[in-house]
């Protein structure tokens, strides 16, 4: 072989490498029986289900940000392990499907949890609305009319439901009123 002949090609190690070197390396691998072997389908399925179970468990029982961190960590560790197994023992494990499965499982589990929390929040808000209506039903609708006295009230709870109550009562035979104010706290 000579430099600049048609028999040279770039490889990752050198910019110009004679094809005789590549061919001799290939022949050496054949003679030494160094072949890339693909893992059995059952091994790949076991890896797929194991990683899927791990990501599902983490996504279900951890807070979303923590689950994202653990999911990304598991994916990176998995990619590193697959690369190591390939480089060290020339064993080819599926990489694409487990990574996609882990990503989809994290996203779907997080979305499912978010929708469940939204439903719970809507239920609580509707119950608070009912409680607020019940509380307002305990309050008098109008104030008694007494000549020479003007009575007015304004009620606004700090949250959806407050614990405060009031009542203004006019006594029948006497020109007096009774005022009751209940302040739970604050």
């Amino acid at each position: 072989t000579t430099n600049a002949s048609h028999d040279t090609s770039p490889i990752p190690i050198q910019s110009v490498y004679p094809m005789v070197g590549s061919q001799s390396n290939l022949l050496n691998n054949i003679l030494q029986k160094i072949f890339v072997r693909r893992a059995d389908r059952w091994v790949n399925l076991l890896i797929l289900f194991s990683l899927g179970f791990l990501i599902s468990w983490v996504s279900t029982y951890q807070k979303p940000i923590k689950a994202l961190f653990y999911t990304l960590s598991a994916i990176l560790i998995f990619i590193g392990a697959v690369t190591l197994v390939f480089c060290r023992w020339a064993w080819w494990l599926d990489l694409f499907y487990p990574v996609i499965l882990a990503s989809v499982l994290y996203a779907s589990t997080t979305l499912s949890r978010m929708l469940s929390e939204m439903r719970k929040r809507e239920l609580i808000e509707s119950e608070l609305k009912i409680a607020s209506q019940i509380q307002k039903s305990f309050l008098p609708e109008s104030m008694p009319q007494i000549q020479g006295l003007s009575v007015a009230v304004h009620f606004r709870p700090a949250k959806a439901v407050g614990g405060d109550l009031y009542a203004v009562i006019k006594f029948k035979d006497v020109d007096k009123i009774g005022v009751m104010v209940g302040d739970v706290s604050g």
Side-chain angles (χ1 to χ4, degrees):
T1 63
T2 61
N3 282 337
S5 72
H6 67 280
D7 199 24
T8 59
S9 300
I11 64 166
I13 301 171
Q14 293 178 334
S15 60
V16 178
Y17 188 75
M19 287 305 287
V20 169
S22 293
Q23 293 165 356
S24 62
N25 189 22
L26 177 66
L27 182 61
N28 182 50
N29 286 346
I30 292 172
L31 294 174
Q32 297 286 327
K33 296 184 180 180
I34 303 171
F35 302 111
V36 174
R37 298 175 316 247
R38 183 162 190 191
D40 190 38
R41 177 179 298 162
W42 298 108
V43 172
N44 282 319
L45 281 174
L46 179 66
I47 291 170
L48 185 72
F49 286 124
S50 299
L51 187 63
F53 177 76
L54 174 70
I55 298 304
S56 294
W57 184 82
V58 165
S59 297
T60 302
Y61 295 108
Q62 296 295 323
K63 292 183 179 179
I65 298 297
K66 218 176 203 183
L68 175 64
F69 173 74
Y70 289 148
T71 299
L72 290 176
S73 298
I75 289 172
L76 290 175
I77 290 169
F78 177 72
I79 290 171
V82 167
T83 304
L84 177 70
V85 165
F86 183 79
C87 292
R88 176 71 54 100
W89 296 288
W91 215 34
W92 171 21
L93 297 170
D94 285 345
L95 178 65
F96 180 74
Y97 290 121
V99 170
I100 292 299
L101 176 74
S103 303
V104 167
L105 280 175
Y106 169 76
S108 62
T109 306
T110 303
L111 179 64
S112 172
R113 286 178 62 188
M114 185 177 74
L115 292 174
S116 173
E117 291 297 323
M118 285 175 57
R119 279 189 294 260
K120 287 178 186 176
R121 181 173 291 151
E122 288 172 357
L123 180 64
I124 290 171
E125 286 175 1
S126 69
E127 288 176 357
L128 285 174
K129 193 174 190 180
I130 292 169
S132 176
Q133 291 171 350
I134 291 171
Q135 180 189 20
K136 287 179 183 174
S137 73
F138 292 147
L139 303 175
E141 292 181 17
S142 63
M143 294 292 112
Q145 301 297 320
I146 299 176
Q147 189 174 2
L149 180 63
S150 176
V151 178
V153 294
H154 175 73
F155 179 77
R156 184 173 64 185
K159 297 185 181 183
V161 178
D164 302 338
L165 297 171
Y166 65 87
V168 178
I169 302 168
K170 180 180 179 188
F171 296 111
K172 292 183 180 181
D173 297 336
V174 187
D175 231 5
K176 294 183 179 180
I177 61 169
V179 177
M180 187 275 303
V181 176
D183 188 9
V184 173
S185 66

